[in-house]
Structures are given as C-alpha cells and as structure tokens.
Amino acid sequence: MVTRLDPKTFDTQAENTWCPGCGDFAILRSLKLALTDLGIAPHEALVVSGIGCGSKLPDYMHVNGYMTIHGRPLPVATGAKLANPDLHVIVVNGDGDAYGIGGNHFLHTCRRNPNITQIVEDNQIYGLTKGQYSPTSDLGFVTTTSPDGAIERSLLPVAVALAAGATFIARTFAGDPKHMAGVIAEAIKHRGYSLVDVLQPCVTFNRVNTYDWYRERVYKLEDDYDPTDRDSARARAYEWEDRIPLGIIYRNDELPTYEDQVLPLQAAGSPLASVLRLQKDPQPGQYEPLKEQFL
Ligand SMILES: Cc1ncc(C[n+]2csc(CCOP(=O)(O)OP(=O)(O)O)c2C)c(N)n1
Ligand code: SF4
C-alpha cells in the first residue's frame, strides 16, 4: 500500500545557510516531492552526502542522513545498501565531490551497479570553498585558481557514466523543479545505479553559468526518444556547448544489481560472506581467521 505523505513531512528545524537563489533549494524541494510521490517515508530513506554546500542537504531533510568525508559518499552508500537492501539509498553531492575527489568511486559505482541513486548538484564550481574551478568548469572559466581561464577541458559526466557502464543516466535543471522531481522519482524507481546530474546555478561564485545561461541552452528530450538505445544516448551524451539535453538519456533495466550478486554469495557462505557478516556484527579479533583465506 502506498503511504500518503506530504513534502512537509521531510522538513527539519535546521537553519539553512545556502545563499538566497541557490539552485540547491530546488533540489531539496524536488527530492522531497519525489519521495512524497513514491510514498517513501522518512525512516525508509537514507541520504548520504560528502562535503560542500550541496552536501549540507541531509541536515535539511527529515530522513536518515550521513555526511561522509569529501568525495566518499558512494562507497558508504553502497555498504549501507548491502547491509539493508530495503532502504532507499540516495547520494547527494556537488560536482567537485562527485567527479573530482570522488571521481574514482564514481567510475566504479557505475560498473558495479548497486541499487542506489546519485544526485549531483553540478554548479561547475567549488561553492563552499569560495569559487575554485571544478571538473565540470568550462574551458577558459576564470576563477581564483584559474585566473587566466581554466586550461583543462571539462569532464562530461553523462558521457563518462555511459562509458563506465551506468544503467540509468539523466540530466535535469534546478530552474525546472517539476521536471527534476519527475526525473528523480524515475531514478529512485530504477533497479541499479542511477545518476541524476542537476544543472544547479551557484548564484554567488559562478557568474557565467547562470539560470539564464542554462535556459538559453537546455531542451527536453523528444517524446519519441528511446533511452534504451545506446547509440542515441552516446550522441546526446556529447551535446553540451550549444544545446544541452534534459531527461533520461540512457537506461538499461536488464542488468543485475550489485546486491543481486553479492547477497546470494553471502547466503552460500563464501569467504566474501564472512567479511560482510563481520562488518555487520563486529567482534574483537574478528579478522584473524580471515588472514588464512586472504593473505
Ligand atoms: C580531503 C579534502 N580536500 C579538500 C577539502 C576542501 N573542500 C571542501 S568542499 C570542497 C569542494 C566543494 O565543491 P563541490 O563538491 O562542487 O560542492 P559545492 O560546494 O559546490 O556544493 C573542497 C575542495 C576537504 N574538505 N577535504
Ligand atoms: S556558494 Fe553557491 S553553491 Fe554555495 S550556497 Fe551559495 S549559491 Fe549555493
């Protein structure tokens, strides 16, 4: 049975320190709307973040929350999902956290396919640390750490996720919360790893990629677009400079999740299962017997 909820169910009393107009407000609102629409109650969801302005989000949501160190929410989220597969696990982090310091975890989570959702607040800059260029900053972007303009070409997260084997890849825009809530809901429903890259204006430090800058470029994928067609997805994944597609760019619902593969091993008593059991129920000296199996 679907539980009837209200987005206010997810409100907290924490003081919000985001700048007025920050795109993170719309992401927070859309995530609350998506959970409400899906009938997911606060105790059934875990939101894991890293470090950054956007990573403050778990503080502003009445759900289970976990702020990890910078760049590390994906492995924590994967572990939480393995320990409690019934939990809806959602990672929320900035582009620096997700694609910079957390880039290695991003790649391997794509191919590992745990049943978790990652929402990236992609403002193309480091907001919390006052405006350094990030992996998604455009070439030539002037910041305190790139006074002559960024000389590194920007990373295209959608294309990287596709190449790394992600099974659900979407992009949405903080200037269109309704579209965003729909895309997030679809991502949470997907069985497997889902990436939602959100174009999220940082109104304080990014004076180039503004709401208007995005509005001039974004377009919604056509109704007859087929996200299961990998070749079409590849073509859209490289669109950026003049036209930026929004919507579900790729999905593959045929592949097993990480838990689908690991949990039966645990049940069958493999050495991996011993490790998982001990992580769940730690005991003094617990790893000693495993040395024989692994060292
Ligand atoms: C290991 C480590 N390195 C660097 C930092 C400093 N630091 C904190 S947040 C951040 C980047 C934030 O940018 P982003 O992840 O894009 O999030 P935003 O603030 O834009 O939401 C950095 C470099 C840190 N906290 N820990
Ligand atoms: S610095 Fe930028 S990303 Fe951080 S709260 Fe302000 S507008 Fe948002």
Side-chain angles (χ1 to χ4, degrees), residues 221-235:
L221 290 167
E222 306 77 18
D223 288 344
D224 61 355
Y225 176 77
D226 177 8
T228 65
D229 178 8
R230 205 174 167 80
D231 289 336
S232 304
R234 196 175 294 115

Side-chain angles (χ1 to χ4, degrees), residues 168-246:
F168 183 108
I169 307 166
R171 186 191 285 115
T172 182
F173 171 41
D176 189 347
K178 203 171 155 213
H179 182 265
M180 183 164 31
V183 167
I184 291 174
E186 284 302 310
I188 294 172
K189 281 197 283 181
H190 173 71
R191 278 196 91 253
Y193 169 71
S194 45
L195 171 71
V196 182
D197 185 74
V198 186
L199 305 175
Q200 175 253 317
C202 166
V203 294
T204 301
F205 294 109
N206 190 335
R207 301 301 173 96
V208 174
N209 308 103
T210 60
Y211 284 96
D212 284 345
W213 188 94
Y214 289 120
R215 277 197 191 101
E216 282 162 17
R217 289 162 179 82
V218 295
Y219 73 95
K220 288 182 185 146
L221 290 167
E222 306 77 18
D223 288 344
D224 61 355
Y225 176 77
D226 177 8
T228 65
D229 178 8
R230 205 174 167 80
D231 289 336
S232 304
R234 196 175 294 115
R236 304 295 177 128
Y238 283 94
E239 285 186 12
W240 177 259
E241 274 165 31
D242 303 319
R243 276 164 60 77
I244 305 174
L246 300 183

Side-chain angles (χ1 to χ4, degrees), residues 42-61:
H43 70 278
E44 296 170 319
L46 168 67
V47 177
V48 187
S49 70
I51 302 290
C53 292
S55 286
K56 296 177 187 173
L57 188 142
D59 215 16
Y60 307 144
M61 264 195 91

Side-chain angles (χ1 to χ4, degrees), residues 17-24 53-54 123 125 127-128 200-205:
T17 57
W18 288 332
C19 310
C22 174
D24 285 336
C53 292
N123 53 24
I125 201 161
L128 188 76
Q200 175 253 317
C202 166
V203 294
T204 301
F205 294 109

